mmCIF file of all heavy atoms in Angstrom:
data_model
loop_
_atom_site.group_PDB
_atom_site.id
_atom_site.type_symbol
_atom_site.label_atom_id
_atom_site.label_comp_id
_atom_site.label_asym_id
_atom_site.label_seq_id
_atom_site.Cartn_x
_atom_site.Cartn_y
_atom_site.Cartn_z
ATOM 1 N N TRP A 5 1.178 4.237 -3.005
ATOM 2 C CA TRP A 5 0.664 5.581 -2.785
ATOM 3 C C TRP A 5 1.767 6.620 -2.669
ATOM 4 O O TRP A 5 1.552 7.797 -2.942
ATOM 5 C CB TRP A 5 -0.330 5.598 -1.628
ATOM 6 C CG TRP A 5 -1.584 4.941 -2.109
ATOM 7 C CD1 TRP A 5 -1.974 3.647 -1.912
ATOM 8 C CD2 TRP A 5 -2.562 5.518 -2.981
ATOM 9 N NE1 TRP A 5 -3.143 3.395 -2.595
ATOM 10 C CE2 TRP A 5 -3.527 4.521 -3.256
ATOM 11 C CE3 TRP A 5 -2.720 6.766 -3.560
ATOM 12 C CZ2 TRP A 5 -4.634 4.752 -4.069
ATOM 13 C CZ3 TRP A 5 -3.821 7.005 -4.375
ATOM 14 C CH2 TRP A 5 -4.761 6.003 -4.615
ATOM 15 N N GLU A 6 2.981 6.221 -2.308
ATOM 16 C CA GLU A 6 4.100 7.153 -2.357
ATOM 17 C C GLU A 6 4.437 7.463 -3.815
ATOM 18 O O GLU A 6 4.795 8.590 -4.155
ATOM 19 C CB GLU A 6 5.314 6.596 -1.627
ATOM 20 C CG GLU A 6 5.155 6.539 -0.119
ATOM 21 C CD GLU A 6 4.751 7.864 0.509
ATOM 22 O OE1 GLU A 6 5.345 8.915 0.180
ATOM 23 O OE2 GLU A 6 3.821 7.865 1.341
ATOM 24 N N ARG A 7 4.291 6.466 -4.670
ATOM 25 C CA ARG A 7 4.512 6.694 -6.104
ATOM 26 C C ARG A 7 3.432 7.617 -6.677
ATOM 27 O O ARG A 7 3.724 8.476 -7.504
ATOM 28 C CB ARG A 7 4.539 5.361 -6.850
ATOM 29 C CG ARG A 7 5.781 4.551 -6.543
ATOM 30 C CD ARG A 7 5.708 3.167 -7.128
ATOM 31 N NE ARG A 7 6.975 2.453 -6.946
ATOM 32 C CZ ARG A 7 7.105 1.154 -7.118
ATOM 33 N NH1 ARG A 7 6.071 0.408 -7.474
ATOM 34 N NH2 ARG A 7 8.280 0.583 -6.930
ATOM 35 N N ILE A 8 2.199 7.441 -6.235
ATOM 36 C CA ILE A 8 1.115 8.325 -6.671
ATOM 37 C C ILE A 8 1.399 9.752 -6.195
ATOM 38 O O ILE A 8 1.178 10.719 -6.926
ATOM 39 C CB ILE A 8 -0.259 7.826 -6.161
ATOM 40 C CG1 ILE A 8 -0.596 6.439 -6.725
ATOM 41 C CG2 ILE A 8 -1.367 8.836 -6.470
ATOM 42 C CD1 ILE A 8 -0.727 6.365 -8.226
ATOM 43 N N ALA A 9 1.916 9.893 -4.984
ATOM 44 C CA ALA A 9 2.274 11.218 -4.463
ATOM 45 C C ALA A 9 3.376 11.839 -5.324
ATOM 46 O O ALA A 9 3.362 13.052 -5.571
ATOM 47 C CB ALA A 9 2.724 11.112 -3.005
ATOM 48 N N TRP A 10 4.305 11.021 -5.805
ATOM 49 C CA TRP A 10 5.351 11.525 -6.688
ATOM 50 C C TRP A 10 4.732 12.076 -7.973
ATOM 51 O O TRP A 10 5.123 13.142 -8.453
ATOM 52 C CB TRP A 10 6.361 10.407 -7.004
ATOM 53 C CG TRP A 10 7.536 10.891 -7.787
ATOM 54 C CD1 TRP A 10 8.726 11.333 -7.285
ATOM 55 C CD2 TRP A 10 7.633 11.017 -9.212
ATOM 56 N NE1 TRP A 10 9.560 11.718 -8.309
ATOM 57 C CE2 TRP A 10 8.913 11.532 -9.515
ATOM 58 C CE3 TRP A 10 6.774 10.752 -10.271
ATOM 59 C CZ2 TRP A 10 9.341 11.784 -10.813
ATOM 60 C CZ3 TRP A 10 7.194 11.000 -11.568
ATOM 61 C CH2 TRP A 10 8.467 11.505 -11.829
ATOM 62 N N ILE A 11 3.755 11.342 -8.515
ATOM 63 C CA ILE A 11 3.058 11.803 -9.730
ATOM 64 C C ILE A 11 2.355 13.131 -9.450
ATOM 65 O O ILE A 11 2.408 14.057 -10.265
ATOM 66 C CB ILE A 11 2.062 10.745 -10.242
ATOM 67 C CG1 ILE A 11 2.814 9.504 -10.732
ATOM 68 C CG2 ILE A 11 1.186 11.310 -11.361
ATOM 69 C CD1 ILE A 11 1.922 8.325 -11.079
ATOM 70 N N GLU A 12 1.707 13.248 -8.291
ATOM 71 C CA GLU A 12 1.039 14.501 -7.926
ATOM 72 C C GLU A 12 2.019 15.670 -7.914
ATOM 73 O O GLU A 12 1.723 16.747 -8.432
ATOM 74 C CB GLU A 12 0.388 14.380 -6.545
ATOM 75 C CG GLU A 12 -0.930 13.666 -6.559
ATOM 76 C CD GLU A 12 -1.547 13.611 -5.169
ATOM 77 O OE1 GLU A 12 -0.861 13.206 -4.214
ATOM 78 O OE2 GLU A 12 -2.727 13.974 -5.068
ATOM 79 N N GLU A 13 3.192 15.450 -7.316
ATOM 80 C CA GLU A 13 4.199 16.507 -7.277
ATOM 81 C C GLU A 13 4.670 16.865 -8.683
ATOM 82 O O GLU A 13 4.867 18.041 -9.001
ATOM 83 C CB GLU A 13 5.390 16.072 -6.426
ATOM 84 C CG GLU A 13 5.102 16.095 -4.949
ATOM 85 C CD GLU A 13 6.313 15.679 -4.127
ATOM 86 O OE1 GLU A 13 7.465 15.967 -4.540
ATOM 87 O OE2 GLU A 13 6.113 15.063 -3.070
ATOM 88 N N TYR A 14 4.842 15.845 -9.508
ATOM 89 C CA TYR A 14 5.257 16.080 -10.892
ATOM 90 C C TYR A 14 4.229 16.949 -11.606
ATOM 91 O O TYR A 14 4.580 17.915 -12.275
ATOM 92 C CB TYR A 14 5.432 14.742 -11.620
ATOM 93 C CG TYR A 14 5.899 14.876 -13.046
ATOM 94 C CD1 TYR A 14 7.255 14.771 -13.350
ATOM 95 C CD2 TYR A 14 5.004 15.116 -14.093
ATOM 96 C CE1 TYR A 14 7.705 14.899 -14.657
ATOM 97 C CE2 TYR A 14 5.444 15.249 -15.402
ATOM 98 C CZ TYR A 14 6.794 15.140 -15.683
ATOM 99 O OH TYR A 14 7.224 15.273 -16.977
ATOM 100 N N VAL A 15 2.961 16.592 -11.459
ATOM 101 C CA VAL A 15 1.875 17.337 -12.111
ATOM 102 C C VAL A 15 1.873 18.788 -11.628
ATOM 103 O O VAL A 15 1.708 19.710 -12.425
ATOM 104 C CB VAL A 15 0.514 16.651 -11.866
ATOM 105 C CG1 VAL A 15 -0.644 17.527 -12.313
ATOM 106 C CG2 VAL A 15 0.464 15.297 -12.587
ATOM 107 N N GLU A 16 2.068 19.000 -10.332
ATOM 108 C CA GLU A 16 2.128 20.365 -9.803
ATOM 109 C C GLU A 16 3.318 21.128 -10.368
ATOM 110 O O GLU A 16 3.193 22.293 -10.746
ATOM 111 C CB GLU A 16 2.215 20.332 -8.273
ATOM 112 C CG GLU A 16 0.922 19.952 -7.598
ATOM 113 C CD GLU A 16 1.076 19.826 -6.082
ATOM 114 O OE1 GLU A 16 2.063 20.355 -5.520
ATOM 115 O OE2 GLU A 16 0.207 19.183 -5.469
#
Side-chain angles (χ1 to χ4, degrees):
W5 287 98
E6 290 307 313
R7 289 172 174 166
I8 298 298
W10 186 92
I11 293 172
E12 280 182 310
E13 286 181 33
Y14 182 96
V15 170
E16 287 176 18

